[in-house]
Amino acid sequence: MTTPQIVTRFAPSPTGFLHIGGARTALFNWLYAKKHGGKMLLRIEDTDRERSTKEAIEAILDGLKWLELGWDGDVIYQFSRAARHREVAERLLADGKAYRCYATAEELAAMRERARAEGRTRLYDGMWRDRDPAAAPSDVKPTIRLRAPQTGETVIEDQVQGRVVWQNENLDDLVLLRGDGTPTYMLAVVVDDHDMGVTHVIRGDDHLINAARQKQIYDAMGWALPSMSHIPLIHGPDGSKLSKRHGALGVDAYRAMGYLPAALRNYLVRLGWSHGDQEIFSTEEMIAAFDLSGVGRAAARFDFAKLENLNGHYIRNADDQSLVKMFEDVLDYVPGRGELKAKLNDTTRAQLLKAMPALKERAKTLIELIDGAYFIFADRPLELDAKAAALLTSENRKLIGLLHSALEKVETWSAASTEAALRIFAEENSLKLGAVAQPLRAALTGRTTSPGIFEVLDVLGCQESLGRLEDQATT
Ligand code: GLU
């Protein structure tokens, strides 16, 4: 006996960028499919023609690619399947499982008013459910509504939420096809999930109520309901709805803030899912460990500091060459970095690579990495920041002149040889090494913090180092 293949899907609406919650939904679907040797399909739910944009579709595809969450097969565009959605509505109509509703906008508005006044959640009163279509007004384009059960319960056995029960008397006969013949979202999702062979629906719990209505369509068609998992939404650190300030941003914003895709994946997987107290997961570990039973019911809280720390971990553990590449790539996403990008060439790339072991220890994001590497790209004469300027007193500028003479004599320039020369210099002048290193750092980097001074000397090389000292020295 062969077990049927697991098929999950990510079904974003392209009305905005791929936001962080959507990225987590995609990740969960991806992990579940990978773990079970199945497929994750991608369906763009572009039926809202007014709000769907090409840019949003691009951003979603780019975001998924950047996060390395590949989908299987071609992207499915929901709008292109409208004829099939209509066909299913017509079929339900022909089977008596749906009916034409000729209620006018005014009648519907009055019904809603009445329902509200009486405190009922069921807004449509079923006025055309059993009415003879011969009585239909000729000037109303009818909608097609599902003949939903009016008694009993609709039950979803949710993998995350548990058993969720709705009383059918509270659910409307939902519209499947609008008066203009366009399918509703509810119908489109069901037909697409069925036709795509989706076995597992994993999505945000804001869709839980939709699951009940969608189940009624499945039942009417005699189709099996996929396994349902509604995952709690992501909230802000204080438990309120996630705001922009607290992380409700597009994945592109995280890219521009210098997060690594592997770090973001690791952060996202732990947002709402746990596996003992393990925090760090390689992709393979994540796939092996992921299960829906590990998804909690409480809303996850977004924590920027935790994401940053995790990112720092990934940066420290990344190999130097790939960090140089990421450094270069991220420049395209950070505004105002064109000038830096223009300075990248074989020489500066080699310098960057050499400096990377020291730089990556200090950076939690690629932006901090860029900032730490500024000294490689700085033009002479260096602009000194306030602290460096204060440090370069006239006395220290004289010291820089003496250091220049001492370093000039170094024959084979390296971290070790410059260190030896500086130690001898400090000793001969009865100075502590720190008293020499600080002004030297200010002159070489324009700042008072940088990687180790011998590494800086090594990375900059003899000519550039001596040139920078000359710029700041006085006699
Ligand atoms: N298009 C819906 C959304 O972006 C998702 C629908 C679904 O997953 O069923 O929220």
Side-chain angles (χ1 to χ4, degrees):
M1 205 178 83
T2 52
T3 26
Q5 195 185 31
I6 300 287
V7 180
T8 66
R9 77 338 184 239
F10 177 49
S13 304
T15 52
F17 293 159
L18 176 61
H19 57 89
I20 201 74
R24 184 190 57 162
T25 300
L27 175 65
F28 282 17
N29 277 284
W30 185 85
L31 287 171
Y32 196 79
K34 285 277 171 276
K35 168 159 185 161
H36 296 282
K39 290 183 182 168
M40 179 183 85
L41 308 179
L42 176 61
R43 179 172 75 231
I44 300 286
E45 303 209 312
D46 56 349
T47 37
D48 184 341
R49 305 310 285 166
E50 309 243 296
R51 294 176 58 227
S52 298
T53 68
K54 254 214 203 89
E55 293 71 33
I57 294 176
E58 280 307 310
I60 290 167
L61 301 184
D62 273 0
L64 288 175
K65 282 183 210 155
W66 177 69
L67 275 171
E68 296 157 343
L69 298 178
W71 56 91
D72 292 286
D74 292 336
V75 180
I76 292 149
Y77 291 89
Q78 190 160 62
F79 180 67
S80 72
R81 294 182 34 83
R84 167 67 179 149
H85 303 146
R86 262 195 296 280
E87 184 187 304
V88 170
E90 300 288 352
R91 158 101 184 272
L92 287 168
L93 193 62
D95 291 350
K97 305 238 169 84
Y99 61 92
R100 288 205 168 88
C101 168
Y102 294 87
T104 61
E106 295 73 34
E107 284 169 326
L108 290 171
M111 262 179 235
R112 273 197 291 274
E113 275 303 303
R114 269 201 306 280
R116 276 200 198 107
E118 292 165 18
R120 282 183 284 112
T121 52
R122 181 191 199 142
L123 304 178
Y124 177 71
D125 68 4
M127 71 181 283
W128 281 94
R129 194 175 159 105
D130 299 310
R131 203 146 146 195
D132 184 356
S138 56
D139 57 342
V140 177
K141 287 210 174 95
T143 57
I144 294 182
R145 282 185 187 265
L146 184 74
R147 195 183 293 281
Q150 291 182 310
T151 56
E153 296 174 334
T154 294
V155 178
I156 299 286
E157 300 284 355
D158 195 277
Q159 303 294 302
V160 174
Q161 307 289 334
R163 182 183 165 88
V164 191
V165 179
W166 288 265
Q167 299 305 318
N168 287 333
E169 62 186 22
N170 295 329
L171 299 172
D172 283 339
D173 281 351
L174 60 102
V175 175
L176 302 172
L177 218 57
R178 297 189 190 88
D180 63 3
T182 57
T184 57
Y185 164 73
M186 219 59 84
L187 174 68
V189 169
V190 171
V191 175
D192 290 349
D193 281 342
H194 173 265
D195 289 1
M196 288 158 67
V198 171
T199 59
H200 289 70
V201 169
I202 304 168
R203 62 188 174 191
D205 68 6
D206 48 336
H207 288 285
L208 185 59
I209 173 71
N210 293 342
R213 324 193 85 203
Q214 290 164 3
K215 173 150 195 305
Q216 295 186 330
I217 304 177
Y218 278 99
D219 289 349
M221 284 303 289
W223 291 340
L225 184 77
S227 154
M228 291 277 167
S229 298
H230 288 88
I231 53 182
L233 300 183
I234 302 171
H235 284 186
D238 56 357
S240 60
K241 189 172 180 284
L242 195 64
S243 64
K244 272 216 163 120
R245 189 163 61 89
H246 289 137
L249 302 164
V251 163
D252 54 318
Y254 287 90
R255 180 182 202 166
M257 285 186 277
Y259 292 104
L260 269 46
L264 195 54
R265 283 199 303 271
N266 193 153
Y267 181 68
L268 287 176
V269 80
R270 288 282 296 106
L271 263 187
W273 174 79
S274 58
H275 183 67
D277 47 19
Q278 188 173 343
E279 290 291 346
I280 309 270
F281 292 86
S282 69
T283 305
E284 292 69 32
E285 285 173 326
M286 232 183 250
I287 292 171
F290 188 76
D291 217 334
L292 294 167
S293 57
V295 179
R297 280 197 215 176
R301 293 187 180 196
F302 195 87
D303 179 350
F304 253 122
K306 198 167 159 190
L307 170 58
E308 245 185 31
N309 284 331
L310 204 53
N311 204 53
H313 168 88
Y314 275 85
I315 288 183
R316 283 192 300 282
N317 287 285
D319 98 303
D320 298 340
Q321 193 74 58
S322 62
L323 281 170
V324 172
K325 169 112 188 31
M326 287 191 250
F327 180 106
E328 190 156 352
D329 290 344
V330 80
L331 292 177
D332 290 332
Y333 296 88
V334 190
R337 300 292 180 154
E339 203 184 317
L340 184 52
K341 178 115 189 161
K343 287 182 177 170
L344 277 170
N345 53 42
D346 288 350
T347 309
T348 51
R349 275 189 202 101
Q351 288 177 298
L352 207 45
L353 187 63
K354 204 174 204 180
M356 204 49 91
L359 292 174
K360 72 183 183 185
E361 286 305 319
R362 294 172 169 73
K364 287 200 178 134
T365 65
L366 293 174
I367 303 303
E368 288 182 11
L369 198 69
I370 293 172
D371 193 50
Y374 76 94
F375 74 91
I376 296 174
F377 302 93
D379 291 318
R380 287 181 53 201
L382 259 55
E383 247 178 69
L384 307 177
D385 75 8
K387 283 188 192 158
L391 195 69
L392 289 179
T393 56
S394 58
E395 199 177 329
N396 275 338
R397 285 179 185 274
K398 279 185 202 148
L399 180 67
I400 296 291
L402 298 174
L403 281 169
H404 181 274
S405 312
L407 286 167
E408 215 173 19
K409 300 194 186 82
V410 171
E411 282 186 5
T412 313
W413 193 269
S414 70
S417 63
T418 53
E419 175 169 358
L422 287 173
R423 284 191 187 279
I424 293 168
F425 176 89
E427 211 165 294
E428 283 174 358
N429 293 277
S430 307
L431 290 167
K432 285 202 173 126
L433 194 63
V436 177
Q438 270 308 81
L440 189 58
R441 170 172 287 121
L444 289 174
T445 71
R447 297 192 190 171
T448 50
T449 53
S450 76
I453 197 65
F454 312 119
E455 280 145 2
V456 170
L457 283 161
D458 186 26
V459 166
L460 290 176
C462 173
Q463 204 187 344
E464 180 69 20
S465 298
L466 293 178
R468 290 186 186 190
L469 296 186
E470 214 169 275
D471 294 340
Q472 306 302 335
T474 51
T475 46

